[in-house]
Amino acid sequence: MALTATVRKVALNISDIDHGYYAEHHLTYAQHPSETDERLMVRIAAFALLADERLLAGAGLSNEDEPDLWKHDYSGQIETWLDLGQPDPARIRKACNRAAHVVVVNYGDQSAEVWWEKNRSALMRHDNLTVIGFDAATVAALGQRIARSMRFDVLIQDGEMQLIGGDAHFDPLTIVPLWRKREA
């Protein structure tokens, strides 16, 4: 018997003071059985960090030719490609050739740091690549906030993101992304 995806509904009220972006997004994610709660919440946090009215969920885990999130320009070309985790450098190179901007959100424990150190020199060659890191404590705190239906207020200011809401017993979560590499 095949396992089915878990449907997650998310409302994000985003106030990105750093980029002058203010909008509410209502998202529906089908959480693949192999996708952890932490990974899905990192995907939601990445969406909030890069929010745009044209940013959409890609097939990600279920289709290797699509990213976790992406944005197309009005002609249909891929403008932004976002992958989570520790993608293979060959996948990143391919994405950099297909999209104007590529973002990798590398997250987790020591293996994330090992991945970055191992691949840093190869990744630095891509002018259209940004690599952002989320530490293990942030990822664990994000994973605790998962529910079938979620509502968050997101405030982005001075390079930090504050996630407010979810279940009432959680204090606001401050996320300080580690910008490992910025697009040239």
Side-chain angles (χ1 to χ4, degrees):
M1 178 182 207
L3 297 173
T4 59
T6 302
V7 175
R8 307 282 185 179
K9 301 236 180 222
V10 185
L12 295 174
N13 184 15
I14 300 171
S15 298
D16 185 344
I17 295 168
D18 289 350
H19 299 102
Y21 182 79
Y22 307 91
E24 180 144 344
H25 292 269
H26 295 275
L27 311 169
T28 301
Y29 286 104
Q31 184 180 6
H32 191 274
S34 67
E35 184 173 32
T36 65
D37 293 346
E38 290 80 7
R39 185 180 190 284
L40 178 68
M41 291 302 292
V42 167
R43 190 162 34 137
I44 292 167
F47 182 96
L49 193 60
L50 301 172
D52 184 275
E53 66 273 356
R54 291 181 284 126
L55 187 62
L56 301 171
L61 289 174
S62 58
N63 183 343
E64 64 184 43
D65 289 331
E66 289 188 20
D68 293 294
L69 297 168
W70 58 0
K71 178 173 73 170
H72 292 83
D73 65 17
Y74 292 111
S75 69
Q77 298 297 311
I78 302 170
E79 190 173 314
T80 303
W81 175 292
L82 184 138
D83 270 339
L84 299 176
Q86 302 168 17
D88 185 85
R91 177 178 171 82
I92 295 170
R93 183 178 57 250
K94 183 177 176 182
C96 286
N97 290 331
R98 291 181 65 192
H101 310 282
V102 176
V103 179
V104 173
V105 177
N106 177 244
Y107 64 92
D109 56 14
Q110 187 61 30
S111 65
E113 189 66 32
V114 169
W115 173 86
W116 171 246
E117 290 303 322
K118 178 181 174 189
N119 297 298
R120 177 196 308 235
S121 62
L123 298 179
M124 294 304 279
R125 296 182 197 134
H126 303 292
D127 290 339
N128 62 335
L129 175 65
T130 297
V131 180
I132 304 168
F134 286 175
D135 64 50
T138 297
V139 173
L142 281 168
Q144 293 174 354
R145 287 166 167 75
I146 198 158
R148 287 204 184 258
S149 180
M150 298 171 273
R151 178 169 189 77
F152 297 105
D153 292 317
V154 180
L155 174 64
I156 300 171
Q157 184 176 11
D158 298 329
E160 293 184 0
M161 180 167 57
Q162 194 166 68
L163 195 66
I164 305 161
D167 197 326
H169 74 273
F170 288 114
D171 290 331
L173 174 63
T174 300
I175 300 170
V176 182
L178 171 61
W179 295 86
R180 297 183 188 277
K181 180 192 180 310
R182 291 186 188 260
E183 188 173 305

